[in-house]
Each structure stands twice: as structure tokens, then as C-alpha cells.
Amino acid sequence: MHKVSRGFIYFFGALGGILFGYDTGVISGAILFIQKQLHLGTWQQGWIVSGVLLGALVGAIVIGPLGDKFGRKKMVLTAAVIFFIGALGCGLAMGFWSLVLFRFILGIAVGGASTMVPMYLSEVAPAEMRGTLSSLNQLMIMTGIFLAYVTNYAWSGLYSGWRIMLAAATVPAAILFIGGLFLPESPRFLVRVGKVDEARGVLGQLRNADQVQAELTDIEEKAKIKMGGWGDVFSKVARPALIIGLGLAVFQQVMGCNTVLYYAPTIFTDIGFGVSAALLAHIGIGIFNVIVTAIAVVIMDKVNRKTMLIVGALGMAASLFTLGIAMHYSHNSMTAAYIAAIALTVYIAFFSATWGPVMWVMIGEVFPLNIRGLGVGLSGTFNWGANMIVSLTFPTLLAALGTEKLFIGYGVLCVLAIWFVHSGVFETRGKSLEQIEGYLDERAGVAAKN
Ligand code: BGC
């Protein structure tokens, strides 16, 4: 296979994130048109929106573990094919049921990519740059969301524009597949399946010549451990990793990130922006998100992950409390309405700079090699499950509690997240994946073998 540059490997390794972002982001605009053309009621719209979430929940738990069996690269390619079929099917869908079916299929790819991309990136990156390189995933997610907003805006004048909005995802899916063909397999997976020479070759591509042997020896040591099953995921050794994986996955969602993103255009129309200005403001938020995430990518290996999570949750809590109080007064005070808009923007900045990227980075790095696919898959499924629960309960809770109480409620969960990070998360920055695994062994009292 033709040898590609490191930049190529990191770019295409992360590219699956674009489809994750695009396919989850595009529906907020497209649904307005789908609903009119297909004459859909609210529950039907709900199914079309959450079809992807349901598919992702399944995709994470199926494709994650398959990555341990067939390799990370093959599963990235598989996800690209499913992305393509799902996007094309959505664009051509004849009615409600076929649209739900193809959104579900698309979701399987989204869930698969959400587990495979962080795993692949964390396994090819050198320890001292793993945070930055793994968080390229989130940068791609945000770029995908931004591209979706732009596509929505560009095609909003056309009656059947939603078909183009949904089918446009076939383009990055095809690019991912073609680029993915040239990606090397993860060296850690290669050692795991006994292809040590091939792994040496890949590490030679990714590291300076004098670093290869030491890293290979470390990986070989860990790869000697028997391939794990579900029992091992819940074992004493893996427990601290599992707590981090599941805890971060659930907290990332219950702190309300998607509801705030979803609610942003409404807040902007509430403070007097017209509908198209609100859509443009949405695009503005999209660009802002990409910029803030890019900053996170740069600082990721300079600041401890735990610090980022704690500062992020503090900032998110403070902005949600401000948002809740300001929303309370926003109907009769323009100042309060502007404060609400600023608080919302600050919330998004804190999320995009911290919990957005750090959660996926840590999920990709905390699990031992012999159960990595299972652990990452299960954490991904918890993240998608929590996403679905929050999205489905949001309209009902909003009606029952109102924006003030609801956003304050999400703020309280941010405070709980600080406690969780403080007491349940260990630091991973700067350590190799094998050192992280060694730490888990030590904690469980298993004597390291050398
Ligand atoms: C989250 C998604 C979210 C996206 C953009 C990801 O890290 O897992 O639920 O939609 O960031 O905010």
C-alpha cells in the first residue's frame, strides 16, 4: 500500500467526525421542510429527528467491538459505506417510514464513527500529542455541524431542498471511503493480531526511527494479555476506566449541550431577530463553535484533562444559571434578553472547549487494549442513549417547567459533574496508552509483569 504522510493519516482518521456532525446537525433545518412536504405530525417529526440517535446507540455497541475483531480501519471503511447508503436513502426517501429507516441506518454509521474515530486517533498518536490529535474528531464534528447549517441555509428556498440537504452527506462519505483505503491500520490492533512487522512499519511512518522499538515493546507487552470479553469490561482492573467512560458519556449529555444548541435560534428570535437573521445567527454560532474547538485542540496537551473538565463544567453551570434567570425577565426587559443571548454563547464556548472534545478523547484512551472496542462501544452507546433521553424529554420538560427552571436544572447537573470528575476521573495527559493500562493494573493490585 502506498505510504501516506502523517497529516493525511490524522486528517482522514478524524474525517468520520464530519459525518457525525453533519448528519446530526442537518435535521434541525431540514425537518421544517420535510414536515411541510410529507405532512408530518409532531411524533413523526420526533422519529425522523431521533432515528439517527437510535441508530447511533446500536452502531456504537455493534461497530465498537467489531473494531477489536476486524481492525479499526475496516470498520471506518464500513461506516463510510453505511453513511453513503443512509444519506442517499434519506435524500430519495418516498415517505415517512423509508425516511425513518434510512435515518436509522445513517445513525448506525454515526454511532460506529463516534467510537472508531477516537479509538483510531488515540492509537496512532504519540503520547505527548494524543490530546490534540484525538480532539481533531470534535473539530470535525463541529465542522460537520457548521456545514449542515450552511447547506440548510443555502437550500432553504427550494421546495424539495431537504432532499439535497440530506443527500449532500454522500460527498464526505465517499471522500472518507476513498481516503480511508490509504490509511494504515492502527499499530496497536496489528500487534494484537500478531502482525508485529506490519505494526513496526506503521510506527515507522508515524514516529521518528529512534522511538519505534521502545513503543513496540510496550505494546507487545500489553498485547500478551488474552483478548477480553464483557466479563473483563466489568472486572476490577477495568472498573476505573469504565466509570470514566460511562460517567463522562452520560454527563456530557445531561449537562444539556444539545438542547442549548437546539434552542439557540429560538432565543435569538425571542430577542427580536427575524427568522432568517436567526438562521444566520445559527451559522455564526457554527463558526464560533469551530473556532473555540480549534483553540481546544491547540491547548489539549498543555492543560490536564481533569482541569479542562472541571473548569468547563463550572463555566457551563454559571452560564446556565445566568441564562435561566435572564430568561425569566427576558419578556419585559431587552437587557435581560441580551444577557440571555450572551450567557448562551458563553455556555457553548465552554462546552466546545472542554466537554465536547475531552469526553471523546478520554473514552478513546482509558480502556485497556484487550477490551478497548467493547469499552469504547459501551461508553458510546451510553452517550447516545443519554442524548436520546435528553432530546425526547426536552419538549415535555420545557412545557412543564419553563426555560428558567429547566436550564437551571441542567446547571445543577453541571455542578454534579464537577464532583464526578474530581472524585472519579484519573489524569491521562502525557501518558502513553500502555502507561495508562499499567496504572489500572497497579490500582487493581495486579503486579506489572516487568
Ligand atoms: C457530542 C454531541 C454534540 C456535539 C456537538 C459531541 O461531543 O457528543 O452530542 O452534538 O458534540 O456539540
Side-chain angles (χ1 to χ4, degrees):
M1 174 83 44
H2 174 72
K3 287 226 162 90
V4 289
S5 71
R6 291 178 194 176
F8 180 99
I9 296 173
Y10 297 131
F11 179 82
F12 280 95
L15 191 64
I18 268 209
L19 285 143
F20 169 165
Y22 188 89
D23 290 315
T24 52
V26 74
I27 202 67
S28 60
I31 195 72
L32 305 172
F33 306 96
I34 298 174
Q35 163 217 342
K36 274 196 206 131
Q37 209 178 63
L38 301 184
H39 310 290
L40 302 181
T42 21
W43 73 268
Q44 289 171 311
Q45 290 174 47
W47 271 106
I48 291 176
V49 173
S50 41
V52 158
L53 301 184
L54 198 64
L57 195 145
V58 177
I61 199 73
V62 173
I63 296 189
L66 288 180
D68 279 350
K69 214 168 170 182
F70 300 108
R72 298 19 174 164
K73 173 180 167 168
K74 280 207 186 90
M75 297 327 291
V76 168
L77 292 175
T78 308
V81 172
I82 307 177
F83 267 130
F84 191 90
I85 297 171
L88 193 65
C90 284
L92 299 174
M94 298 311 290
F96 166 69
W97 284 111
S98 53
L99 197 48
V100 172
L101 175 71
F102 283 109
R103 288 275 298 160
F104 178 79
I105 292 177
L106 203 52
I108 294 180
V110 170
S114 75
T115 54
M116 217 40 62
V117 171
M119 216 155 97
Y120 180 79
L121 289 174
S122 77
E123 290 187 339
V124 292
E128 67 285 1
M129 283 170 68
R130 196 178 55 244
T132 287
L133 294 170
S134 298
S135 55
L136 289 177
N137 174 39
Q138 183 75 12
L139 190 62
M140 290 287 188
I141 296 176
M142 290 306 195
T143 309
I145 293 183
F146 165 67
L147 291 176
Y149 292 168
V150 174
T151 317
N152 281 348
Y153 186 70
W155 295 103
S156 58
L158 198 73
Y159 186 59
S160 292
W162 63 270
R163 293 192 182 276
I164 301 177
M165 296 172 192
L166 297 183
T170 49
V171 178
I175 297 176
L176 174 63
F177 183 81
I178 296 167
L181 286 174
F182 296 93
L183 285 177
E185 182 49 271
S186 145
R188 286 171 167 86
F189 173 77
L190 289 171
V191 174
R192 170 92 258 169
V193 292
K195 297 184 177 170
V196 178
D197 286 338
E198 212 179 309
R200 185 177 290 112
V202 176
L203 277 175
Q205 243 173 300
L206 293 163
R207 310 278 187 271
N208 299 333
D210 57 336
Q211 298 168 321
V212 172
Q213 193 48 50
E215 189 166 343
L216 195 63
T217 309
D218 279 353
I219 302 176
E220 279 186 278
E221 192 56 43
K222 291 298 171 200
K224 277 185 200 151
I225 302 169
K226 203 169 111 280
M227 195 68 192
W230 284 112
D232 302 283
V233 176
F234 296 98
S235 67
K236 194 174 167 202
V237 182
R239 197 164 305 144
L242 190 66
I243 291 174
I244 294 180
L246 303 188
L248 292 185
V250 170
F251 270 115
Q252 193 209 40
Q253 294 300 321
V254 298
M255 294 194 295
C257 61
N258 286 305
T259 63
V260 175
L261 276 180
Y262 170 81
Y263 207 63
T266 316
I267 291 190
F268 284 107
T269 39
D270 272 6
I271 60 171
F273 284 50
V275 176
S276 82
L279 271 182
L280 272 181
H282 212 186
I283 294 183
I285 291 185
I287 299 178
F288 178 67
N289 263 331
V290 174
I291 296 173
V292 177
T293 310
I295 297 173
V297 168
V298 175
I299 61 170
M300 189 65 86
D301 285 309
K302 301 191 174 71
V303 183
N304 278 348
R305 317 258 200 267
K306 278 184 79 166
T307 311
M308 288 181 81
L309 291 171
I310 290 177
V311 171
L314 261 176
M316 286 158 75
S319 25
L320 283 172
F321 293 144
T322 313
L323 180 62
I325 296 167
M327 288 297 280
H328 184 74
Y329 296 104
S330 64
H331 294 297
N332 29 27
S333 154
M334 211 48 207
T335 317
Y338 277 106
I339 293 178
I342 294 170
L344 179 127
T345 313
V346 173
Y347 170 90
I348 293 177
F350 272 106
F351 171 80
S352 300
T354 60
W355 279 79
V358 177
M359 189 281 295
W360 291 110
V361 168
M362 290 197 80
I363 280 186
E365 62 189 10
V366 285
F367 290 100
L369 180 60
N370 70 329
I371 54 157
R372 191 163 292 143
L374 297 174
V376 177
L378 190 64
S379 309
T381 292
F382 267 65
N383 184 265
W384 291 108
N387 189 340
M388 214 171 145
I389 292 172
V390 174
S391 311
L392 291 177
T393 53
F394 177 65
T396 318
L397 289 175
L398 192 64
L401 301 173
T403 33
E404 310 93 273
K405 288 204 190 102
L406 184 54
F407 284 136
I408 290 176
Y410 292 136
V412 171
L413 289 166
C414 293
V415 176
L416 268 181
I418 298 174
W419 161 80
F420 170 74
V421 174
H422 178 72
S423 53
V425 175
F426 62 82
E427 187 51 51
T428 53
R429 183 175 72 97
K431 300 190 181 84
S432 72
L433 295 179
E434 290 65 37
Q435 283 168 337
I436 296 174
E437 210 172 319
Y439 170 77
L440 289 174
D441 289 344
E442 256 169 52
R443 261 181 80 152
V446 177
K449 283 194 179 138
N450 55 357

